[in-house]
Amino acid sequence: MTAPTRRLGSLTVSALGLGAMPLSMGRGEPAPHDRAMATIHAALDAGITLLDTADIYAPSWDTMGHNEKLVGEALRSWDGDASRVVVATKGGITRSAEGGGRDGSPAYLRRALEKSLAALGTDSVDLYYWHRPDRSIRYAEAVETLAGFQQEGLIREIGISNANVEEIDVAREVLGDGGLAAVQNEFSPTFFHTSRRELAHCGEHGIAFVPWSPLGGTGGGAAAVGERFPQIARIAEAHGVSPQQVVLAWEIGLGDHVLPIPGASRPESITDSAAAMSLALTAQERAELDSIIA
């Protein structure tokens, strides 16, 4: 199917992406290999052209790159045109037997990127995010490092994740007009208080805003979103669709720069989510939904 599109810097992608993390970590065991492949293929078959992953998405600290390898393999084994698919990954969070941390140093980010390139099986990442701020360094330093990778041709577009307005503006200053392609923050009907300003700010400056956990997360929030918000359940019933579709269609409609990436570990889940791209909500329904974050 042909899906509505969004801009990620110089790239064009579907208005909704696949968050691949649940295939490797989250509630319960990682998805079996065959189901992981089927889930990614189902997303691509449904017209989704943005796959979102990260180096730390893995069942354990010593299997980092697990999710990236799944994404790379799924693209190579898909029978469609993979050249139109954009892959985003992230670096800057560490995992070890002792726990997790953050490292935004040039040396660490280069090692992380090189491992991501190998795991994905490519020589250039379409969109590379700095995953979380490292408070031990200047914010601009890590952004400058990514700019260097871009100049080397190792990444096409630059993003930042879990960033506030001030950090977005630092990145904009370092990269220049149009240099920051995307900001990926948590945003959903159950979690919006720290990202509403960022969503609006990105829209004002032509930056894609990519909500992660757009349905409320894998801890049960996504499954229960219709139970928690009666207006979502009512609108879903009126359209004969899932509450999750209503939420995603509403988020897509918050601006031409908004591009949610719902997670999925089953083909049925992402196929349902993808249908949100063609769900038309009325102005009254949107106003009802807007009241959730008013």
Side-chain angles (χ1 to χ4, degrees):
M1 63 173 282
T2 301
T5 59
R6 294 286 191 265
R7 298 293 297 174
L8 284 173
S10 63
L11 308 171
T12 300
V13 297
S14 55
L16 182 143
L18 167 66
M21 186 190 80
L23 298 171
S24 296
M25 61 189 297
R27 301 179 77 189
E29 294 294 315
H33 181 268
D34 288 350
R35 198 174 83 211
M37 292 297 106
T39 300
I40 299 172
H41 289 167
L44 299 171
D45 290 340
I48 290 174
T49 58
L50 173 66
L51 304 179
D52 186 90
T53 182
D55 60 354
I56 64 163
Y57 298 164
S60 60
W61 69 269
D62 55 351
T63 56
M64 280 180 63
H66 179 272
N67 199 252
E68 293 171 316
K69 290 174 183 176
L70 290 178
V71 168
E73 181 183 349
L75 276 175
R76 290 188 293 273
S77 59
W78 184 50
D79 59 8
D81 179 11
S83 67
R84 63 188 181 90
V85 179
V86 168
V87 175
T89 192
K90 316 173 195 74
I93 298 180
T94 63
R95 290 182 70 179
S96 69
E98 290 72 41
R102 305 180 190 184
D103 192 338
S105 67
Y108 179 81
L109 289 177
R110 181 172 291 278
R111 289 197 303 273
L113 175 57
E114 289 172 349
K115 290 177 182 177
S116 290
L117 291 168
L120 290 166
T122 185
D123 56 7
S124 179
V125 172
D126 297 318
L127 172 61
Y128 193 73
Y129 291 97
W130 184 21
H131 205 157
R132 280 192 183 273
D134 174 358
R135 301 303 181 192
S136 71
I137 64 171
R138 291 183 307 110
Y139 196 85
E141 182 179 345
V143 180
E144 290 164 354
T145 298
L146 298 192
F149 296 158
Q150 187 179 46
Q151 291 169 0
E152 292 179 53
L154 299 175
I155 60 179
R156 294 177 64 185
E157 295 291 346
I158 295 170
I160 53 176
S161 186
N162 304 295
N164 59 34
V165 167
E166 293 74 21
E167 290 161 343
I168 294 169
D169 284 342
V170 170
R172 289 177 54 235
E173 183 176 353
V174 170
L175 299 172
D177 188 42
L180 180 63
V183 173
Q184 184 177 138
N185 281 7
E186 185 173 6
F187 180 87
S188 72
T190 58
F191 187 99
F192 55 81
H193 55 284
T194 65
S195 287
R196 285 178 60 193
R197 287 179 63 218
E198 287 75 14
L199 187 155
H201 195 65
C202 286
E204 293 166 4
H205 296 284
I207 302 164
F209 182 83
V210 182
W212 61 266
S213 287
L215 296 170
T218 58
V225 69
E227 300 168 22
R228 184 165 182 177
F229 300 99
Q231 58 270 64
I232 294 174
R234 279 198 311 272
I235 294 168
E237 185 176 0
H239 286 270
V241 301
S242 68
Q244 290 76 19
Q245 271 190 51
V246 170
V247 172
L248 294 170
W250 165 67
E251 290 180 356
I252 289 169
L254 289 174
D256 291 341
H257 67 298
V258 180
L259 203 168
I261 49 167
S265 61
R266 296 180 180 276
E268 301 82 4
S269 298
I270 194 59
T271 300
D272 183 76
S273 292
M277 292 188 284
S278 58
L279 176 60
L281 301 175
T282 68
Q284 182 177 345
E285 288 169 341
R286 289 198 169 278
E288 273 194 81
L289 297 169
D290 287 345
S291 70
I292 294 173
I293 62 171

